[in-house]
Amino acid sequence: MLQDLARHVAALLGPQCLGQKLALGELTVVGPVASVVSILRLLRDDPQCQFEQLIDLCGVDYPERDRRFDVVYHLLSPRKNQRLRVKCEIDETTPVPSAVELFACANWYEREAYDMYGILFSGHPDLRRILTDYGFQGFPLRKDFPLTGYDEVRYDDAQERVVYEPVRLPQEFRSFDFMSPWEGAEYVLPGDEKAKQ
């Protein structure tokens, strides 16, 4: 049944389908970024597909690639009880055409992808941050974003307001050996030199 869907989708999309993958009981279709809206429209309107619901839209970061991001659309066909994934690869500056005209819920999903990864969507009615604070610098789900961030936020009782400060790490960095304490360390622990005397 999934193989039949894969063949039908490949025939339906034609040259817009750059590749397909069957994994874990779901079909993934790879397409060019310029055609993503037409691919989504075909999959929604085709009577044999009927992928009428956009469940999720997310980004995936691969900093070692030239086209760093995957934009992934998760579609559901309630009538056919099937799921399908549509992927396209983009770089940091290429905008993805917005899917808001096809799926109203794409509005928030695209804003989330912009806020977390910095993925741009052309034709979006209100592309602004949705999860991070006003004035937030950077994109927290990119793999090159520092784990500690740049600023820390805390409530100051003396000023009776929230204050932003540069991140301070009061604890020194520690190196862990992850060895079992029952097997014993392969190096001299502090204090062991006294036991030999």
Side-chain angles (χ1 to χ4, degrees), residues 18 62 64-70 89-92:
L18 300 179
Y62 298 99
E64 66 278 356
R65 293 190 330 202
D66 290 335
R67 290 185 290 180
R68 177 178 184 163
F69 300 109
D70 279 354
E89 294 181 3
I90 59 162
D91 57 24
E92 294 182 53

Side-chain angles (χ1 to χ4, degrees), residues 74-160:
H74 300 269
L75 302 173
L76 173 68
S77 173
R79 297 172 195 254
K80 304 287 185 178
N81 193 23
Q82 292 180 327
R83 294 174 184 267
L84 184 128
R85 191 176 297 115
V86 177
K87 279 187 186 180
C88 62
E89 294 181 3
I90 59 162
D91 57 24
E92 294 182 53
T93 58
T94 303
V96 180
S98 177
V100 173
E101 66 180 44
L102 297 175
F103 303 102
C105 63
N107 186 343
W108 284 53
Y109 296 149
E110 290 175 359
R111 286 179 63 186
E112 183 180 353
Y114 166 70
D115 194 7
M116 296 288 107
Y117 292 98
I119 297 171
L120 301 171
F121 292 89
S122 62
H124 191 280
D126 186 22
L127 191 63
R128 59 191 165 109
R129 292 190 180 267
I130 192 170
L131 296 174
T132 56
D133 202 3
Y134 301 108
F136 188 86
Q137 298 295 317
F139 303 102
L141 290 184
R142 286 189 179 188
K143 292 196 177 157
D144 54 4
F145 190 80
L147 292 177
T148 57
Y150 298 110
D151 296 321
E152 66 182 2
V153 180
R154 67 175 180 83
Y155 183 79
D156 190 332
D157 290 325
Q159 297 180 25
E160 296 183 346

Side-chain angles (χ1 to χ4, degrees), residues 157-176:
D157 290 325
Q159 297 180 25
E160 296 183 346
R161 67 180 186 92
V162 174
V163 294
Y164 295 84
E165 298 173 337
V167 172
R168 290 186 324 254
L169 300 175
Q171 179 179 352
E172 298 261 340
F173 178 77
R174 296 184 295 175
S175 178
F176 297 97

Side-chain angles (χ1 to χ4, degrees), residues 7-62:
R7 282 191 292 274
H8 177 72
V9 168
L12 179 70
L13 299 180
Q16 293 178 333
C17 180
L18 300 179
Q20 289 183 339
K21 181 179 179 185
L22 290 169
L24 304 172
E26 291 185 13
L27 175 64
T28 301
V29 176
V30 180
V33 67
S35 304
V36 73
V37 172
S38 63
I39 290 171
L40 295 172
R41 182 178 286 114
L42 285 169
L43 293 171
R44 183 192 69 179
D45 297 342
D46 183 71
Q48 287 185 300
C49 293
Q50 298 182 359
F51 289 101
E52 299 166 346
Q53 290 184 353
L54 176 64
I55 297 174
D56 191 22
L57 181 159
C58 62
V60 184
D61 186 12
Y62 298 99

